[in-house]
Amino acid sequence: MRRLLAFAAVLAVLSGAAGAQDQKYYDLAKGDYPHDVAAGPSGEVWFAGQKAGIAGRLDPASGQIDRIPLGKNSAPHGVIVGPDGAPWFTDGGQNAIVRVDPATKEVKVWPLPPERMPYTNLNTAAFDGRGRIWFTGQNGIYGRLDPKSGDMQVWDAPKGRGAYGITGTPKGDIWFVSLAGNYLANVDLESGAATVYEPPTKDQGARRVWSDSRGRLWVSEWNSGNVSVYDPSAKSWKQWKLPGEKPRTYAVWVDPDDKIWLTEWTANAVVRFDPDTETFESFPSDRPNANVRQLLGRKGEAWIAESGTERIRLIRYASKTN
Amino acid sequence: MRRRPTDAQRQARAACWISCTLALVSLLLSGPVAHAVAGDAARGERAFQRCYSCHSVDPKDAAKLQGPNLFQIVGRPAGAASGFDYSDAMREKAAAGLTWDAATLDRYIADPEAVVPGTRMSVPPLRDEQERADLIAYLARPDANRR
């Protein structure tokens, strides 16, 4: 009990340690509903406006927001910035992969083959080391698009529905997780075959995944409230429970210092985990029901999409990397 | 021989026309009306693909999904699926008496946040009134819930 109290005290001290001066909230247009967010190479920040069917481009310096319609019935879920510096969207409404040219704002759409599954509930995407974009669809698919040739392949996900977060490693490998299937999977970049790795916690609800600089896979577990890590070279798992009563771990991003950023819905907070000290630091939102479904950033900046309050949140942090 | 209407009759007719128009505009602006469009359950099974990743309609399905089982959802009180861990927002609405009748389901599918602020459910907006009606017709069909 004494240990628990001491831990709670440390957590309380650490809570909000970034300080108000290190945070900023950007209000979006009502109805934009930012689902995912990604930091661009020129300082801009992109978001997927799921309800409005737009690509949002925020200029953090001026606060100006450009809203770019992605097409009829568009409802983008995920956004990442590709090696070409452009934002790429997984658009559930159009059942397509969508790219926006950052200079001309031109929108290019690659629809998924409808004969296989007319609605795949596209989730997120990641680039491999060969310039191809891989994606997941929650209805039970994953796929690969070569933007140069337009060639698109789609495969059935192991255990059916649930394919959710996806990430690329520094080596260019691709891994994804399944929320309903409760697994982490690695794909063969040519054949597309998926190899499943089960986390130690049963029915953990692996929701999103991100690679650190060493190629270890960090997984946010919704059902268990854990963050877990799989080390492919050691073939080993390790996991930690997030602080608080019944935590719900939604999103994960690993910063350039290999610190783990998570979003936790019960505490309505962004949480940073230090794997070296095995401690958590909490940054609660200043409004209830922030419902953060994803966060992503760059050196010194964590960018957070608050779908519930329709805001983009920035937390600046001290980075050790040069 | 038709008599010309008096000023009072003309004023009464004008008042009636204005009030009827206002009532119609008010009806149109009041949001989706579930029964305005007849749903087709067969088409609704296809529309259910939008829900499939998080919901099942099979009462024997043991998969631990992100949404509650929708077996016999139409007419059911909110937050009533046995063993499902609902959000606080849904629990509060359930305690306040929210029931999934067709009209409420229609509004919820069109914009979940508008009906249950703070709900965990995130779904691309289903803007097509016909598709929503089809989906609700599918959910209401007893045999569709026993696949």
Side-chain angles (χ1 to χ4, degrees), chain A residues 33 35 50-53 73-75 77 92-93 117-119 121 138-140 161-162 179-180 182 203 205 207 222-223 246 248 250 265 289 291 293 308, chain B residues 46-57 61 63-66 85-86 89 91 110-114 117-125 127 147:
Chain A
Y33 197 83
H35 200 290
Q50 190 185 43
K51 282 188 186 172
N73 295 324
S74 169
H77 180 285
M117 195 184 279
Y119 182 80
N121 200 355
Q138 258 189 284
N139 279 7
R161 61 186 150 193
L179 178 58
N182 301 295
D203 293 337
R207 185 150 216 156
W222 174 257
N223 295 338
K246 281 182 75 177
R248 292 282 197 177
Y250 200 114
W265 279 37
N289 296 324
N291 291 7
R293 299 173 192 275
Chain B
R46 187 180 170 95
F48 185 73
Q49 286 300 305
R50 292 173 173 275
C51 322
Y52 171 77
S53 60
C54 296
H55 295 281
S56 173
V57 289
D61 193 341
K64 193 166 186 173
L65 301 175
Q66 292 308 299
D85 182 21
Y86 288 97
R91 286 179 210 275
D111 188 355
E113 277 280 337
T119 179
R120 288 181 190 145
M121 181 161 133
S122 167
V123 65
R127 303 181 181 102
R147 292 191 305 171

Side-chain angles (χ1 to χ4, degrees), chain A residues 109-150:
Chain A
V109 178
W110 287 268
L112 268 67
E115 61 276 8
R116 184 180 186 87
M117 195 184 279
Y119 182 80
T120 61
N121 200 355
L122 280 171
N123 196 276
T124 42
F127 276 87
D128 66 16
R130 302 170 195 179
R132 299 170 305 187
I133 185 168
W134 292 74
F135 50 88
T136 53
Q138 258 189 284
N139 279 7
I141 60 101
Y142 62 102
R144 182 188 70 200
L145 166 69
D146 184 341
K148 285 183 184 164
S149 66

Side-chain angles (χ1 to χ4, degrees), chain B residues 46-100:
Chain B
R46 187 180 170 95
F48 185 73
Q49 286 300 305
R50 292 173 173 275
C51 322
Y52 171 77
S53 60
C54 296
H55 295 281
S56 173
V57 289
D58 180 352
K60 293 176 184 167
D61 193 341
K64 193 166 186 173
L65 301 175
Q66 292 308 299
N69 194 303
L70 299 182
F71 175 64
Q72 293 183 341
I73 183 67
V74 182
R76 191 168 80 190
S82 174
F84 187 78
D85 182 21
Y86 288 97
S87 65
D88 289 344
M90 188 62 78
R91 286 179 210 275
E92 284 169 20
K93 282 289 182 181
L98 183 72
T99 297
W100 296 124

Side-chain angles (χ1 to χ4, degrees), chain A residues 36-41 46-48 54-56 70 76-91 96-102 106-110 122-127 131-135 144-152 294 296:
Chain A
D36 282 16
V37 67
W46 294 92
F47 63 90
I54 57 144
L70 294 179
H77 180 285
V79 58
I80 56 163
V81 170
D84 57 355
W88 292 75
F89 296 85
T90 32
D91 191 331
I97 305 300
V98 178
R99 177 187 187 269
V100 174
D101 188 296
E106 182 194 2
V107 176
K108 185 161 185 181
V109 178
W110 287 268
L122 280 171
N123 196 276
T124 42
F127 276 87
R132 299 170 305 187
I133 185 168
W134 292 74
F135 50 88
R144 182 188 70 200
L145 166 69
D146 184 341
K148 285 183 184 164
S149 66
D151 177 58
M152 186 183 280
Q294 193 253 4
L296 223 166

Side-chain angles (χ1 to χ4, degrees), chain A residues 253-305:
Chain A
W253 168 62
V254 183
D255 73 20
D257 296 332
D258 279 347
K259 304 298 185 236
I260 318 306
W261 293 77
L262 306 143
T263 66
E264 201 280 277
W265 279 37
T266 306
N268 192 39
V270 172
V271 175
R272 182 167 60 180
F273 177 66
D274 186 336
D276 298 326
T277 60
E278 302 188 52
T279 54
F280 291 96
E281 186 176 1
S282 181
F283 306 92
S285 175
D286 66 353
R287 281 173 49 186
N289 296 324
N291 291 7
V292 179
R293 299 173 192 275
Q294 193 253 4
L295 78 171
L296 223 166
R298 54 188 157 219
K299 180 187 166 187
E301 296 179 354
W303 287 93
I304 296 131

